Amino acid sequence: MGRLWQIALIVAEAVATFLIFIPTFLWFLLNLCYVNYKISRNRKKMLKMLKREGLPEHVSIKMAEYMFPKMEFSPWKHMSLISEGEHQEGKGEKPVGKQDR
């Protein structure tokens, strides 16, 4: 009976863990989507303002993207810094952190 009791407690603990983590994960994704929405909205407002000031379109786009950079908040496409550096090497660009000697 002791072995069956241990298995039941492990299963109950796993179910409780999933019931806690699923809403937390969904809340985290909702917040990331909201942040991305606010950043893109502020970028569009800044573009309108810069165009009204008389700046050329390509300059205003560069300024708005510098102030409010496009961010991808996708946990499924997450890349580490090491793989990003290797990815840039393949395109002929210098990887981040490596310098010519």
Side-chain angles (χ1 to χ4, degrees):
M1 194 69 170
R3 183 83 171 149
L4 187 61
W5 185 247
Q6 286 178 343
I7 292 173
L9 286 177
I10 290 173
V11 169
E13 185 177 353
V15 168
T17 303
F18 282 119
L19 290 176
I20 291 170
F21 280 133
I22 288 175
T24 305
F25 181 70
L26 291 176
W27 181 253
F28 180 69
L29 285 179
L30 179 69
N31 283 325
L32 289 179
C33 291
Y34 179 69
V35 166
N36 200 16
Y37 165 75
K38 292 292 275 188
I39 288 173
S40 64
R41 198 174 92 190
N42 288 338
R43 188 182 321 113
K44 287 177 186 178
K45 284 182 181 179
M46 187 172 187
L47 273 172
K48 284 182 183 179
M49 183 203 60
L50 291 173
K51 285 180 185 177
R52 264 188 264 136
E53 293 293 324
L55 286 175
E57 186 174 349
H58 69 281
V59 174
S60 60
I61 289 173
K62 284 187 179 185
M63 287 179 70
E65 285 184 0
Y66 179 77
M67 294 300 291
F68 301 104
K70 292 181 180 178
M71 297 182 191
E72 291 189 24
F73 296 116
S74 177
W76 298 279
K77 294 182 182 178
H78 178 72
M79 294 179 68
S80 67
L81 293 175
I82 296 171
S83 63
E84 182 66 28
E86 292 170 356
H87 180 68
Q88 288 178 355
E89 279 183 49
K91 290 188 173 184
E93 299 174 7
K94 291 182 184 177
V96 177
K98 291 188 179 179
Q99 299 174 353
D100 291 327
R101 294 179 190 227

